[in-house]
Amino acid sequence: MIRTLAVLIAMATSSLPAADAARVILLGTGTPIPDPCCSGPAVAVVANNLAYLFDAGPGVVRRAEAAAEKFGIAALDATRLTRLFFTHLHSDHTLGLADLILTPWILERPTPLTLYGPRGLRAMSDHLVAAYADDIRVRTTGGEPKHQYDPRLVTVHEIEPGAIYRDDRVTVTAFAVSHGAWEQAFGYRFQTPDRTIVISGDTGPASHIEDQCRRCDVLVHEVYSDAGFAKRPPEWQAYHARYHTSARQLGAIAARAQPKLLVLYHQLIWSSTEEELLKEVRSTYDGKVESAHDLEVF
Ligand SMILES: [Zn+2]
Ligand SMILES: [Zn+2]
């Protein structure tokens, strides 16, 4: 009885989702810096046995396979990766797109990929498919067993802010964020009956993320270390301040947004440390916060 009560209390206070609720899996927490710890930015949300990917940094397909194996999540098998939402078209977030178009196709994925994202995504997808014309020709006519479809068939939706995707249990809403010179950059709000998850993408501090979160279950947000920033050359400081969000700024945003859990990703730490980064966030925020690593689930 006491144990049951303890379990119930633990369940009530834990920010971990119930077994069948939407789960956030950090496939890649990296940045353009090719640190071997961290695959390129890519977040998977798994709900109702379906995978919804947000961004495709380098390594995305292998990390999805690793997560499928580590957590026993069949929806992250490469052949089941069919929906992808791009926050913006910076290379660190898109270098895995050719991989997602071609690798699951070779593995006999039954349906082509569907993409959502900013203007320019259609051209990027078309150019990638064109760049691999010889590979596709040799694979389709050179003796490989017959494939399920023509890999040049990629469905692309160039979106505007608003509810851009719906199925039985899921609504995905895109919202505009401010990311330096990018004309279009999006964050996403992912809603199921059980959970609301907000993903910032890359953003400066003035994107009103708190209006999208409002006590959401999980806020996955990019961040850079204030201490690391202080030691960067002035020209890079000007760039980072325009494109990204400092730890102290993020703490203030989270204090307004009040997520049940704040998850840091795309951490630019430079010469500082993860402990220092968390301290900086906590200097302006007293809620629950985790600094994510690749292949962690929230
Ligand atoms: Zn980035
Ligand atoms: Zn970016």
Side-chain angles (χ1 to χ4, degrees):
M1 179 65 190
I2 290 168
R3 277 191 61 185
T4 311
L5 191 62
V7 168
L8 284 173
I9 291 167
M11 282 171 69
T13 54
S14 167
S15 52
L16 277 177
D20 58 346
R23 283 179 286 179
V24 185
I25 299 104
L26 275 295
L27 300 180
T29 56
T31 66
I33 299 164
D35 186 331
C37 74
C38 311
S39 208
V43 178
V45 181
V46 173
N48 208 22
N49 293 320
L50 296 175
Y52 304 78
L53 298 183
F54 295 86
D55 289 336
V60 59
V61 175
R62 277 160 174 76
R63 280 292 202 255
E65 282 283 320
E69 198 177 303
K70 180 175 178 186
F71 303 111
I73 301 175
L76 289 173
D77 187 271
T79 59
R80 295 186 55 188
L81 305 175
T82 57
R83 296 164 210 79
L84 172 58
F85 304 84
F86 280 108
T87 61
H88 65 301
L89 300 184
H90 251 151
S91 53
D92 51 322
H93 298 249
T94 53
L95 281 164
L97 178 54
D99 195 11
L100 265 171
I101 293 172
L102 293 167
T103 306
W105 168 70
I106 297 163
L107 297 172
E108 303 182 22
R109 176 172 56 192
T111 49
L113 193 59
T114 299
L115 307 175
Y116 301 81
R119 282 187 295 280
L121 180 55
R122 191 183 313 278
M124 178 179 275
S125 174
D126 288 349
H127 286 308
L128 285 172
V129 165
Y132 283 91
D134 285 345
D135 172 82
I136 292 167
R137 180 177 50 76
V138 169
R139 289 188 190 279
T140 47
T141 64
E144 279 192 21
K146 194 167 166 14
H147 297 274
Q148 304 279 325
Y149 57 88
D150 183 333
R152 292 168 295 187
L153 292 173
V154 180
T155 304
V156 179
H157 300 280
E158 293 187 342
I159 60 169
E160 297 293 334
I164 50 109
Y165 175 92
R166 273 200 185 92
D167 62 30
D168 292 354
R169 281 173 55 88
V170 171
T171 302
V172 180
T173 305
F175 56 91
V177 297
S178 164
H179 187 38
W182 284 101
E183 278 178 25
Q184 273 192 316
F186 298 112
Y188 288 99
R189 190 171 71 238
F190 184 98
Q191 284 172 284
T192 68
D194 322 291
R195 285 188 116 195
T196 299
I197 294 151
V198 174
I199 298 166
S200 71
D202 283 6
T203 178
S207 296
H208 304 287
I209 299 274
E210 60 271 24
D211 295 341
Q212 303 300 326
C213 172
R214 294 183 187 278
R215 298 179 188 273
C216 60
D217 292 284
V218 184
L219 172 58
V220 181
H221 203 293
E222 70 121 90
V223 68
Y224 67 81
S225 159
D226 290 272
F229 176 88
K231 293 188 185 155
R232 296 286 289 155
E235 60 273 26
W236 274 110
Q237 286 184 343
Y239 174 84
H240 298 312
R242 192 170 161 223
Y243 279 77
H244 297 291
T245 303
S246 79
R248 289 204 181 94
Q249 289 168 338
L250 176 55
I253 291 163
R256 295 193 297 271
Q258 293 287 307
K260 290 187 188 135
L261 174 65
L262 171 63
V263 174
L264 312 182
Y265 88 134
H266 199 283
Q267 301 101 320
L268 283 162
I269 295 175
W270 302 300
S271 58
S272 188
T273 63
E274 195 171 33
E275 291 70 35
E276 187 60 37
L277 177 76
L278 280 163
K279 242 189 247 170
E280 290 163 355
V281 174
R282 288 183 179 128
S283 72
T284 49
Y285 176 59
D286 61 6
K288 193 166 180 206
V289 53
E290 303 258 8
S291 179
H293 308 105
D294 287 16
L295 298 179
E296 288 183 345
V297 179
F298 298 97

